[in-house]
Structures are given as C-alpha cells and as structure tokens.
Amino acid sequence: MHSSAASIKAVSAKAKPLTGILTVPGDKSISHRALMFGALAVGETSISGLLTGEDVLRTAAAMRALGAEVEGKGADWFVRGRGVGGLREPADVLDMGNSGTSARLIAGLLSAYPFTSFLTGDASLRNRPMDRVIKPLSQTGARFISRAGGRLPMAITGSSLAAPLSYVSPIASAQVKSAVMLAGLHGPGVTTVTEPAASRDHSERMLRYFGAKVATSQADDGLYTVQLAGRPELTGRSVIVPADPSSAAFPLVAAILVPGSAITITNVGMNPLRTGLFTTLQEMGANIQIVNPREEAGEPVADLVVKHSSLQGITVPAARAPSMIDEYPILAVAAAFASGETRMEGLAELKVKESDRLTATANGLQSCGITARVEGDTLTVTGGKARPSSATPIAVNLDHRIAMSFLVLGMVSDGAVTVDDATAIATSFPGFLPLMNGLGADMREIPIK
Ligand code: S3P
C-alpha cells in the first residue's frame, strides 16, 4: 500500500499549553446511518451536524446514485427517501473511497435488491476483508463476485428476501451487524443478529427513532442479540448528530499530555458503547470531567472538561475493545507518556482497519524511540522514560487515525514529528490542523514537490 500521488506531509512541533472551548466534527458512524436510513424513509429527513468528511460524502453520493435526493444547505442536510424497497439500480460503479462503513453497510442494503451493482474503493479499502459481510448476506440468495479473499472491487446481485435472516457473528462488529440489519429491513419476519459482545448500537437506536421495531438483549456472558421486524415503514425524521467521540479523542489526549492545558470539548457523543477510551484514561489518572449530560435524537451527549494530568500504565482488558476499537492508536500515544507499562489486550480487529493499525502504531512509536511491542493481539507500550523524536516521517498508509495520533505525539516530543500523508485526515476530521493550532498546537502541512 502506498499514499496517493497528491499527498501532503504534515509536521507537528512542541505545543504551547492548550486552552479553549471547542467542538469536533459530527460522528462518522451516526452520519452514515442518518443518510442511509433517510434514503429508506418516506418523506424528508433533516440532519444537523452531519460530518462532511470524505467517508460520509461517499455515502451521500451512493444514496444519490440509488435514487434518494440528498442535499446540503449550509450547516443542514436534507434527504428525501424512497421508502424501504424503493432504491433503484445505480448507473455506475459505487466508489466508497476509504470508507469501510460505507462499503459494508451498503453491501447489506444492495443484497436485498434484485439488480446488480458494483462497489470499489481506494487502495486501503480494496485491501480490507468483505467476506465478513458476504458470508451472512449470501444466505439471502444474493450473489457476490469479488477479488480473492472477498476484496473489492465486488459485484453484488441482490435478491428479494423470501425468509427472515438469522446470523451469529463470530466478531463484535457494528458494520457486520448493521449490514445484516439493512438487508433484514427488506425481508419478511424478524431478522436476528447475535454478536459475542455488543458493538456500537447506533443502527438499533436510529432505526427505532425512524419507526422500526428493534428489540435487543444481552446475556450474562456478554452475548448480544438484535431482533428487527422486517418491512417497516420508516418515516423521515430530524436527526441531530453529536460530535464524534473518536475525533474528540485527539484534542482530549493532547490536553492530557501537554503541561498546563485545560480545554472543554462540547457536545460529545457519550454512547456507552463508544466511551471506552474515556474510562481507560480516567483509570490511568486523567482529569476528565463529564458535564452537562443530556440526550439528543436518541443518543447521549455531554461536554468534556479536560486538564493536563500525569498518567499511570494499566492493563486494558479485551472486553473493552469494542467500545474503543478506533482509539487504540491515540491511547498508545498517551501510554508512551504514562509511568510503567500499558498493556492493551484483544486487538485482533485492529489489523483489518484502514491500515494494519496494530503494526502501524507499534512501528510508529518505535521509530520515535518509544518501546512498544506486539505479542499476538496484545500491544504493550513502555512509557515514562521516552523523550520521543522521529528522524523519518511516520508512514500513514491511507489511515487518518494513524496520521492524527502521531501529530498529537509531535506536540509533546523533543523533536518535531512528521507524517508522510496529511490528506488522509479529511476522511473523518476536516479542519484538524487549524482546530489543533487554534488550541495551541504547532502543526503545518508541507506540500511534496
Ligand atoms: C463502525 C464500526 C467499527 C469502527 C468503524 C465504524 C461503524 O468497525 O471501527 O470506524 O460505523 O459501524 P467494525 O464494525 O469493523 O468493528
């Protein structure tokens, strides 16, 4: 894998104490779902706070290609849906860019329509496994033709569902769960999906909000089951997208690490299936106050008041991984400045994200002079003694969260840290550099000649 020809490097040097009140962009997972469920609803859905990162714009373009009207007017977005079962054959290949959520959820949707569509993506997405959705979705009679290992590009010939779907997923994955739910919406009877632990439940919450019947239950051993009644009439709703806790993670960790910092991050999504990083940092000794908790459009939100803190290394149990799966690279950066060792267990899923994040995180830390080791699916970072600096740019491999994590590391490093591709950041966090600089960071882009 290599970066695109038009890549721009970015460099991050020692920051001043971070101060200010800020809001980060809208939640990526919720933004994708608002567009998709809006496209399946009857009437108009209005969305405020939609993330306008590249990943979500791919979903918007796909919904348009499938016949929904999607329009951004100032800060608000409007979707005029076609009803469950009302989407039409797209006239061209659907390009999902870097977005795994778009590819997997839309594969679920398309598996329920009796026409053929084609999905592709960038070099990162074309390397990611789609077999995890092909397997359950094939049950419906849908046919998939993909490259080896279930990789994109992929053709999908859907089928009209004749029987209810039932799937026991071997992994806790909101993408797999949601893909099956999107197919099941189009079929008769009750679709059942079970996962070994609960992954983020934004689909369940938002489908209920749009009028579907969704029941969930969790067994003592963590096994989580969703039951969804098929062929509901979904009604267009007004969705308020909270700020993305996975994006809030970057200024949050930066404020904890940079001495003298005190910031407030407002309107952060606090869905308990997303807040594992906040819990972990608090256990490590971070001063994070959760204030003004409230609920908006079926999702909990709050403001976070964060101050510089000294951290102690801990063991982060595997059971917590689903609630912070995207936050391990930035947690590993925090761990480099904690006293002692931080052990992060149960990270197998990190290998199949936008890049192999387990390897990318360990390699990046090592190249900054920090002791980090991978044993199986455990990452251990030795903190405390490091005075990091990197002589060579960190390889981003089309992965936005690797880029942002190492730019945060640069804020507290002896020498500046450079990442080899800052363009990847636009997939989830447009305006990251100016926002961080407004707080006290010293980050800038370096165009590659
Ligand atoms: C997402 C689910 C997670 C997460 C991704 C977004 C979603 O992936 O890593 O960034 O919106 O459903 P998995 O379902 O593969 O764990």
Side-chain angles (χ1 to χ4, degrees):
M1 237 185 320
H2 55 85
S3 306
S4 63
S7 62
I8 297 172
K9 287 189 203 171
V11 59
S12 173
K14 215 177 215 25
K16 296 200 280 283
L18 305 189
T19 53
I21 300 177
L22 67 140
T23 309
V24 299
D27 190 276
K28 184 153 72 68
S29 296
I30 295 175
S31 295
H32 284 299
R33 287 159 174 82
L35 292 168
M36 291 182 203
F37 300 151
L40 292 175
V42 174
E44 189 174 82
T45 290
S46 62
I47 311 168
S48 74
L50 187 86
L51 170 66
T52 51
E54 284 167 10
D55 278 15
V56 175
L57 296 179
R58 297 288 181 172
T59 289
M63 292 306 111
R64 276 191 204 108
L66 293 167
E69 283 172 39
V70 183
E71 201 189 349
K73 277 190 209 149
D76 292 326
W77 284 68
F78 298 90
V79 183
R80 200 154 264 287
R82 296 179 67 88
V84 172
L87 300 181
R88 61 164 196 235
E89 179 197 71
D92 202 349
V93 176
L94 302 174
D95 186 347
M96 305 286 96
N98 191 251
S99 178
T101 307
S102 309
R104 298 203 177 105
L105 269 59
I106 289 171
L109 196 55
L110 294 172
S111 71
Y113 285 86
F115 52 69
T116 299
S117 24
F118 301 86
L119 295 188
T120 192
D122 73 3
S124 154
L125 188 57
R126 279 184 274 114
N127 206 33
R128 297 180 67 187
M130 295 297 141
D131 39 10
R132 54 181 56 200
V133 291
I134 294 175
K135 187 164 177 252
L137 297 173
S138 298
Q139 273 184 40
T140 66
R143 284 179 297 130
F144 295 82
I145 300 174
S146 67
R147 289 197 304 133
R151 288 176 159 79
L152 299 182
M154 171 164 92
I156 306 174
T157 303
S159 91
S160 307
L161 266 65
L165 263 168
S166 177
Y167 186 60
V168 179
S169 173
I171 44 174
S173 161
Q175 293 178 355
V176 171
K177 173 175 63 179
S178 303
V180 175
M181 290 172 73
L182 277 157
L185 270 181
H186 293 78
V190 176
T191 286
T192 307
V193 199
T194 299
E195 46 182 359
S199 61
R200 63 191 68 192
D201 62 354
H202 304 303
S203 296
E204 293 91 307
R205 286 171 184 257
M206 203 185 291
L207 277 171
R208 260 188 218 123
Y209 185 62
F210 276 73
K213 284 206 178 64
V214 185
T216 60
S217 59
Q218 190 152 27
D220 290 344
D221 61 359
L223 202 73
Y224 172 85
T225 303
V226 182
Q227 291 180 300
L228 165 71
R231 298 182 183 155
E233 178 159 307
L234 302 181
T235 310
R237 296 297 308 262
S238 165
V239 179
I240 303 167
V241 181
D244 197 325
S246 300
S247 296
F250 301 103
L252 177 107
V253 167
I256 291 167
L257 297 183
V258 178
S261 298
I263 63 169
T264 299
I265 314 176
T266 60
N267 209 34
V268 180
M270 294 297 288
N271 182 313
L273 296 169
R274 296 288 300 282
T275 50
L277 176 74
F278 307 152
T279 308
T280 300
L281 288 168
Q282 284 172 328
E283 284 176 4
M284 293 171 80
N287 184 343
I288 304 171
Q289 283 168 265
I290 297 163
V291 298
N292 196 13
R294 53 207 187 268
E295 186 151 332
E296 276 172 5
E299 289 280 350
V301 293
D303 304 329
L304 302 181
V305 179
V306 193
K307 297 195 174 113
H308 167 66
S309 323
S310 28
L311 302 177
Q312 295 90 50
I314 59 164
T315 293
V316 188
R320 197 172 290 161
S323 69
M324 54 177 297
I325 194 64
D326 293 333
E327 279 66 78
Y328 285 99
I330 191 64
L331 175 63
V333 167
F337 297 89
S339 59
E341 283 196 342
T342 299
R343 232 178 107 80
M344 294 160 255
E345 298 175 345
L347 306 189
E349 277 295 300
L350 281 197
K351 296 179 193 163
V352 289
K353 294 296 176 188
E354 286 82 332
S355 69
D356 172 353
R357 283 187 180 152
L358 194 50
T359 307
T361 303
N363 287 352
L365 290 175
Q366 284 160 6
S367 75
C368 294
I370 295 158
T371 305
R373 61 177 197 279
V374 176
E375 287 150 312
D377 61 3
T378 296
L379 171 64
T380 305
V381 176
T382 307
K385 281 173 278 191
R387 295 172 62 81
S389 69
S390 91
T392 50
I394 305 296
V396 167
N397 289 328
L398 296 176
D399 191 328
H400 51 132
R401 298 198 202 281
I402 295 296
M404 290 186 278
S405 297
F406 283 94
L407 289 173
V408 169
L409 177 61
M411 296 170 74
V412 272
S413 293
D414 276 5
V417 172
T418 303
V419 298
D420 72 354
D421 177 16
T423 61
I425 294 170
T427 63
S428 70
F429 202 147
F432 176 72
L433 266 65
L435 183 139
M436 295 302 288
N437 287 340
L439 297 173
D442 177 6
M443 298 182 186
R444 70 194 156 81
E445 292 188 340
I446 315 169
I448 300 170
K449 288 174 204 106

